[in-house]
């Protein structure tokens, strides 16, 4: 069956050049939602910001979200096809709580990221399951390492980032961050939030209630999402800064 | 592996008797970043390019070279996620060996186990071969050894070898400089010079990784400061 190398577009087997087309297509599917997300690691906080588009005015806006709490300490931001994203979040929650049950302490976010990445790798090697079409950004403040931002993609890659982006304007956001890479380590909580929002503002357009913000601050910090008024407050502060 | 819905192998013989999926996997390896290894008379060194896609990645926590037993380590060229799976499996197999025999698994048997896993994925149902070649460096009672394992599961012992994008040039570079009685420090310098030869852009202690095992039988990954010292001596 794999004699017909046309199947390399249908399942995850190698193409003649050694590429995995299904994985490349999964990346495209993950970017197809049209939304962009960013995450930044400051001095003692990790912040994730994503666009929020409610597709229909009749939909209850509180049910539309791409930011999820995985454990009290770890939050995640998904970019891609919503059902796949929800499946990934369910798995993350299961893995994190299974770890706590087995080992008696909270799973470090790096270990959880690697677990999700290893699961994603299995989908790239088994023909019977397709890759999940979503990129996951995990944020937490680790006991030993401080604030952490991890990105896990459909190919099974995962890396710790100083600042990360995913989605439609991923490259533009990355370029914006790269210019400021030396400044992140000194940002306090508010500055980190504003940095992330500014990045998103410069690569996309949105009004106050069209973004979601998730944050963890401090070693004892819990993951929380900001309310609309808090987000408006930050956007106002940013506008005041520019003037 | 047996629980996938495909009960037939995806790697099947072509009319000319070739296993095309394995050949394609080798192409995936050829496109990967260069890695190399040199087996000296008193130790082994393995090296790889560590070029991350953006400066925003926190590179100090990212490592391509992995310790598998206290006396041996792996490096790869090809698909990173596939490599992680192999490292995990190899570590578990080495730990089972230790559990039974109460001694560190020697390099030969370790390589045989990893190669066996890679071969299984070329024959089992519903899976594709691993898209990595491994260089395994270790020191045991047989002395220092360097092995290369390919996606097919074939493995050979090498005096010096290179895999990935620049492997052909690197191998001819190594052929000229290798001698049977080369010592580890010299081998490290030669490894760095070989890496530099095919490196795009400036090579420094942050975008190259080195793993070393010597007569003390402790495999370690060198710190950037140590690499800096070797670079200053070599160049």
């Amino acid at each position: 069956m794999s004699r017909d190398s046309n199947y390399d577009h249908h399942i995850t087997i190698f193409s003649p050049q050694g590429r995995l087309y299904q994985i490349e297509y999964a990346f495209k599917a993950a970017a197809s939602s049209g939304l962009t997300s960013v995450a930044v690691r400051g001095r003692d906080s990790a912040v994730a910001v994503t666009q929020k588009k409610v597709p229909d005015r009749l939909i209850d806006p509180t049910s539309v979200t791409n930011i999820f709490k995985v454990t009290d300490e770890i939050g995640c931001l998904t970019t891609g096809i919503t059902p796949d994203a929800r499946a990934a979040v369910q798995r993350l929650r299961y893995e994190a709580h299974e770890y706590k049950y087995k080992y008696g302490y909270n799973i470090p976010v790096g270990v959880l990221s690697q677990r999700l990445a290893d699961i994603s790798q299995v989908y790239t090697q088994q023909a019977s399951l397709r890759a999940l079409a979503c990129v996951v950004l995990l944020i937490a403040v680790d006991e030993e390492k401080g604030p952490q931002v991890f990105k896990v993609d459909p190919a099974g890659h995962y890396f710790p980032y100083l600042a990360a982006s995913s989605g439609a304007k991923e490259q533009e956001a990355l370029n914006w961050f790269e210019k400021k890479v030396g400044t992140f380590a000194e940002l306090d909580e508010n500055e980190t939030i504003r940095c992330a929002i500014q990045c998103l503002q410069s690569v996309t357009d949105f009004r106050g209630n069209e973004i979601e913000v998730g944050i963890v601050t401090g070693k004892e910090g819990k993951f929380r999402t900001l309310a609309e008024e808090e987000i408006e407050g930050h956007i106002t502060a940013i506008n005041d800064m520019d003037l | 592996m047996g629980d996938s819905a495909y009960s037939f192998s995806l790697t099947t013989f072509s009319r000319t008797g070739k296993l095309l999926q394995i050949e394609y996997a080798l192409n995936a390896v050829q496109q990967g970043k260069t890695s190399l290894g040199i087996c000296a008379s008193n130790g082994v060194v393995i090296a790889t390019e560590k070029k991350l896609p953006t400066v925003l990645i926190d590179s100090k926590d990212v490592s391509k070279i992995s310790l598998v037993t206290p006396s041996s380590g792996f490096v790869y060229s090809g698909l990173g996620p596939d490599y992680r799976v192999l490292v995990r499996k190899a570590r578990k197999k080495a730990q089972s060996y230790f559990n039974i025999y109460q001694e560190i698994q020697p390099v030969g048997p370790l390589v045989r186990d990893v190669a066996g896993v890679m071969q299984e994925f070329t024959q089992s149902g519903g899976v594709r071969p691993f898209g990595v070649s491994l260089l395994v460096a270790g020191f045991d009672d047989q002395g220092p050894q360097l092995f290369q394992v390919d996606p097919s599961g074939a493995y050979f012992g090498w005096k010096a070898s290179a895999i990935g994008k620049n492997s052909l040039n690197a191998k001819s570079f190594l052929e000229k400089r290798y001698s049977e009685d080369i010592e580890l420090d010299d081998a490290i310098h030669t490894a760095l010079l070989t890496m530099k030869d095919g490196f795009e852009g400036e090579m420094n202690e942050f975008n190259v990784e080195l793993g070393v095992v010597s007569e003390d039988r402790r495999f370690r990954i060198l710190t950037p400061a140590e690499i800096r010292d070797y670079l200053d001596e070599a160049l």
Side-chain angles (χ1 to χ4, degrees), chain A residues 1-3 12-18 41 114 117-118 121 124-128 155-156 158 160-163 177-178, chain B residues 4-5 8 10 12-13 21 24-25 27-28 31 54 56-58 62 81-82 84-85 88 121 126-131:
Chain A
M1 164 192 168
S2 65
R3 250 170 267 139
T12 36
I13 57 174
F14 285 111
S15 78
Q17 298 79 33
R41 176 174 121 177
Q114 180 165 36
D118 287 345
Q121 189 281 338
T124 74
Q125 201 167 20
Q126 299 242 356
S128 51
Y158 82 104
Y161 280 81
L162 304 170
F177 279 135
E178 277 178 3
Chain B
S4 75
F8 52 87
L10 300 174
T12 52
F13 289 105
Q21 274 298 298
Y24 301 162
N27 287 343
Q31 289 172 27
T54 163
L56 294 169
I57 290 177
D58 191 2
V62 173
D82 287 11
R84 280 202 321 264
V85 170
R88 174 162 294 193
F121 277 71
V127 291
R128 61 163 174 82
F130 285 96

Side-chain angles (χ1 to χ4, degrees), chain B residues 42-164:
Chain B
N42 59 341
V44 193
V45 56
I46 48 179
T48 184
E49 269 184 40
K50 184 167 129 168
K51 276 215 198 114
L52 295 165
T54 163
V55 300
L56 294 169
I57 290 177
D58 191 2
S59 60
K60 62 179 177 356
D61 287 334
V62 173
S63 190
K64 281 172 69 174
I65 299 185
S66 305
L67 183 134
V68 175
T69 73
S71 312
S72 57
F74 288 7
V75 75
Y76 75 102
S77 284
L79 303 178
D82 287 11
Y83 170 71
R84 280 202 321 264
V85 170
L86 287 170
V87 167
R88 174 162 294 193
K89 284 193 200 272
R91 283 173 173 167
K92 284 193 171 175
K93 284 192 191 275
Q95 198 60 33
S96 305
Y97 183 100
F98 185 85
N99 213 27
I100 299 170
Y101 300 105
Q102 288 296 297
E103 60 174 47
I104 296 172
Q105 188 173 27
V107 192
L110 173 68
V111 168
R112 219 175 36 232
D113 279 349
V114 174
V117 169
M118 291 169 83
Q119 189 283 335
E120 276 173 30
F121 277 71
T122 67
Q123 202 175 9
S124 299
V127 291
R128 61 163 174 82
F130 285 96
V132 292
S133 280
L134 298 174
L135 286 173
V136 181
F139 203 120
D140 60 24
D141 290 341
Q142 318 301 114
Q145 288 154 81
L146 174 70
F147 285 91
Q148 179 180 329
V149 195
D150 285 335
S152 57
Y155 64 92
F156 298 97
W158 289 79
K159 301 172 188 176
S161 183
I163 49 179

Side-chain angles (χ1 to χ4, degrees), chain A:
Chain A
M1 164 192 168
S2 65
R3 250 170 267 139
D4 307 328
S5 59
N6 292 325
Y7 273 96
D8 56 14
H9 290 261
H10 295 258
I11 53 173
T12 36
I13 57 174
F14 285 111
S15 78
Q17 298 79 33
R19 289 161 71 175
L20 293 171
Y21 281 112
Q22 270 294 297
I23 304 308
E24 295 181 22
Y25 299 160
F27 273 92
K28 290 207 174 102
S32 69
S33 64
L35 304 178
T36 306
S37 316
V38 300
V40 182
R41 176 174 121 177
R43 192 179 60 215
D44 46 24
S45 352
V47 174
V49 182
T50 182
Q51 283 179 285
K52 173 168 160 164
K53 283 205 186 119
V54 182
D56 191 308
R57 277 188 314 150
L58 291 172
I59 291 180
D60 178 357
T62 59
S63 72
V64 175
T65 179
N66 284 105
I67 297 196
F68 302 93
K69 183 168 94 162
V70 176
T71 67
D72 285 336
E73 296 80 25
I74 300 176
C76 83
L77 171 45
T78 59
T79 318
I81 298 182
T82 312
D84 284 12
R86 285 187 191 272
V89 170
Q90 276 297 94
R91 192 61 192 268
L92 282 167
R93 286 172 173 162
Y94 166 79
E95 293 292 334
H97 289 89
E98 176 84 354
Y99 189 99
K100 177 77 189 267
Y101 176 70
K102 264 165 79 168
Y103 302 111
Y105 71 100
N106 292 332
I107 189 169
V109 65
V111 173
L112 183 61
S113 307
Q114 180 165 36
R115 186 80 188 109
L116 184 65
D118 287 345
I119 291 165
S120 305
Q121 189 281 338
V122 172
Y123 302 149
T124 74
Q125 201 167 20
Q126 299 242 356
S128 51
L129 293 162
R130 65 163 175 83
L132 289 178
C134 67
V135 174
V136 177
L137 286 166
L138 285 157
I139 62 167
V141 178
D142 185 274
E143 275 182 359
E144 291 171 25
K145 297 189 176 166
Q148 303 264 282
V149 170
F150 279 87
K151 182 162 97 163
V152 185
D153 65 28
H157 292 118
Y158 82 104
F159 289 112
Y161 280 81
L162 304 170
S165 65
S166 69
K169 302 277 176 166
E170 175 178 338
Q171 195 51 51
E172 290 88 334
L174 221 55
N175 294 342
W176 193 95
F177 279 135
E178 277 178 3
K179 294 190 195 121
K180 302 181 182 247
V181 67
T183 62
F184 301 141
E186 291 310 307
L187 299 176
D188 68 23
E189 179 180 324
N190 286 329
E191 289 168 338
T192 314
I193 297 173
R194 285 164 203 171
C195 177
I197 296 178
Q198 267 185 301
C199 174
L200 205 58
Q201 271 180 333
S202 78
V203 301
T204 61
D205 293 311
F206 58 83
R207 286 196 296 268
N209 61 351
E210 289 173 3
I211 59 170
E212 301 181 87
V213 180
I215 175 167
V216 191
T217 302
K219 297 222 166 127
E220 307 297 312
K222 304 292 172 206
F223 175 79
R224 63 188 189 89
T225 50
L226 298 187
E228 218 176 284
E229 306 83 58
E230 292 177 276
I231 301 176
E232 293 278 353
H234 286 292
I235 295 182
T236 314
I238 292 171
N239 291 337
D240 291 340
M241 262 176 7
D242 290 336
L243 289 171

